[in-house]
Amino acid sequence: AAMKGGHNGESHNHNDVGNIVLFRGEHPVFIDAGVEQYTKKTFSAERYTLWTMRSRYHNLPDIAGCEQKPGGNYAASLVSAEEDSVTFRLEKAWPKEAGIRSYTRSAAMNGSVITVTDCLTLEREAPVCWYWMCAGKPEIAGDSLRFAEAGCRVRFAGGDFSLSAEPVVLEDRKLKNEWKCDTLWRVCLRCENWTDGVMKMTGSAE
C-alpha cells in the first residue's frame, strides 16, 4: 500500500493529493491508472480534461460535486508518519465550494490488514462519493468488495453508503498494454447526506 501527499502544482501533475494504491502481492486491488500516450493536449490548457489527470479517476472522493483542482495551493500537509502508518490533512486539496471544514486521511498497516480512515467534516450537508479505481470488476456484496484474483476483501464502514461499479473503457493503446485489458472499473461508495463522520476502509486477505 502507498499514499501520496504533495500538491497539485508539481511537474507532470495529476490532481491526486491523498491518493491510495493497494496491491496484494502482485495482484492489484486499488490502482492508479497511469497516463495515456502523450499528445499535445497532455501539456496544454486542456490537460485536466483528460480523465487520467482528474481526482475523480483516482482513489479519492468527490465532495459536494467538487473534485480537486490544479495548482500548488491545492495541497496536503503531513500530520504524522510512522513505519507502518501515515496521516495527512487534505482539506486544502479541494476548492472552497466543496465546503470542507476539515479532512484527514490516515493509512495504517497491521500485518496483512490495511485500514484507511477518512475523518471528514463539511460546513453543510452534501453528497460525497468516494471513488476507487480497480483493474478488474470486484464483486459487490453489501458493504464490501471482493477481489477474487487478489484473494482480498475490502469492507467499508461509517455511513449510510451505497456501492456501485462502472466500467472505464480504455481507448488508449498504451494503457491497454500496461493493464492487459480493455476496461478498468471505478467503484463509487456514495453517501447522499454527509455532514460529519468517519469513512473506514479495511482490506484483508480472505
Side-chain angles (χ1 to χ4, degrees), residues 27-194:
H27 300 293
V29 178
F30 297 134
I31 64 168
D32 187 318
V35 64
E36 296 171 310
Q37 185 70 41
Y38 289 154
T39 66
K40 288 182 179 180
K41 185 180 286 189
T42 311
F43 300 102
S44 75
E46 296 181 274
R47 179 179 180 85
Y48 295 101
T49 66
L50 300 171
W51 69 270
T52 54
M53 306 294 175
R54 300 173 65 178
S55 64
R56 59 180 49 153
Y57 289 92
H58 290 79
N59 303 313
L60 293 162
D62 263 22
I63 301 171
C66 298
E67 57 185 309
Q68 291 185 11
K69 288 189 175 181
N73 292 332
Y74 298 97
S77 56
L78 182 65
V79 176
S80 64
E82 308 294 337
E83 185 175 345
D84 55 1
S85 66
V86 64
T87 300
F88 286 104
R89 293 194 65 164
L90 297 178
E91 59 264 25
K92 290 184 179 178
W94 276 261
K96 289 183 179 180
E97 53 264 34
I100 304 172
R101 184 167 293 164
S102 64
Y103 182 12
T104 61
R105 167 168 280 189
S106 301
M109 291 292 300
N110 183 1
S112 62
V113 178
I114 180 170
T115 302
V116 175
T117 305
D118 279 13
C119 300
L120 175 62
T121 301
L122 304 183
E123 295 172 354
R124 58 193 177 277
E125 185 179 283
V128 179
C129 178
W130 280 266
Y131 288 117
W132 305 92
M133 294 293 297
C134 310
K137 185 179 182 180
E139 300 172 24
I140 298 176
D143 62 354
S144 70
L145 304 173
R146 180 174 180 264
F147 297 83
E149 189 173 356
C152 176
R153 187 175 294 275
V154 171
R155 293 176 173 84
F156 299 101
D160 183 14
F161 296 127
S162 63
L163 269 175
S164 61
E166 64 176 359
V168 178
V169 177
L170 300 179
E171 299 177 355
D172 178 75
R173 183 180 300 176
K174 175 176 174 289
L175 288 182
K176 287 182 180 182
N177 290 338
E178 288 174 353
W179 291 109
K180 297 179 175 58
C181 63
D182 295 328
T183 304
L184 301 178
W185 288 83
R186 185 174 68 158
V187 170
C188 174
L189 176 75
R190 186 175 179 88
C191 179
E192 295 292 346
N193 53 353
W194 192 275

